Amino acid sequence: MLQEIRTTVTCLSFFTAGNAIGFADICTHGLICLRADDLSNATVLAEEIIHESSHVRLNGILASTTCLEDDHGRLYQTPLREDPRPAAGLLHQLFVLARLCDWHARLGTRAVTERAERATQDLAAAYTTVQNELPLTTAGRELVSTIKPARYAR
């Protein structure tokens, strides 16, 4: 994952205004932005870098691989946002949460238990919605098949 981040993240910027925690800029591939007040907590900072760099990675995949069929603009409930999101937003959440769960699993006993548990619960919720409701293409089903939420259950 570290090598991938080194390759895909070409610019890291910090901001101080607004409500966002961070974001990846789809128009400038490789740019991630993080809220500056998260700098003092190494765990939160690492999570946010992994989170936003995962968006960059998935954007790269989606630029060359169609993973979703047309669902005519339907919106889906997702674990990380209160407002319903389009299919691509839910797919992004699933991908990001799976990578965060991988990272927490690698930390082992050094993981922050409540953060790891929350990511695991959110991953399970996103996975259920994706499996039951998202109009995946064959490539999309293949991508989702690499994600196994049960392996992170504690």
Side-chain angles (χ1 to χ4, degrees):
M1 194 181 293
L2 178 59
Q3 181 56 41
E4 182 184 293
I5 290 170
R6 286 181 176 145
T7 302
T8 59
V9 176
T10 57
C11 184
L12 174 59
S13 181
F14 296 95
F15 62 92
T16 57
N19 294 327
I21 297 170
F23 60 91
D25 186 0
I26 195 161
C27 295
T28 308
H29 186 72
L31 170 62
I32 63 172
C33 301
L34 302 175
R35 193 168 54 203
D37 58 348
D38 288 338
L39 292 174
S40 63
N41 184 321
T43 301
V44 172
L45 178 59
E47 283 182 354
E48 291 306 318
I49 290 171
I50 291 166
H51 181 122
E52 298 307 333
S53 67
S54 296
H55 285 300
V56 173
R57 176 69 176 127
L58 185 56
N59 284 338
I61 292 169
L62 295 176
S64 63
T65 307
T66 302
C67 290
L68 296 166
E69 299 285 354
D70 183 12
D71 65 356
H72 308 289
R74 182 175 169 207
L75 299 177
Y76 303 84
Q77 287 304 126
T78 67
L80 299 181
R81 301 280 294 263
E82 289 183 24
D83 54 322
R85 309 297 299 160
L90 175 55
L91 187 60
H92 267 271
Q93 283 189 25
L94 178 71
F95 190 80
V96 165
L97 287 164
R99 292 166 62 91
L100 283 172
C101 287
D102 277 343
W103 181 69
H104 285 295
R106 289 178 191 175
L107 288 176
T109 59
R110 294 173 294 165
V112 178
T113 303
E114 52 276 357
R115 295 182 80 83
E117 287 175 355
R118 176 63 191 262
T120 302
Q121 291 168 0
D122 288 344
L123 175 62
Y127 186 81
T128 298
T129 305
V130 166
Q131 288 289 78
N132 293 336
E133 300 181 39
L134 228 55
L136 297 167
T137 64
T138 300
R141 285 189 297 279
E142 201 172 297
L143 175 68
V144 171
S145 75
T146 66
I147 298 170
K148 306 287 185 219
R151 79 178 199 210
Y152 304 112
R154 293 177 178 247

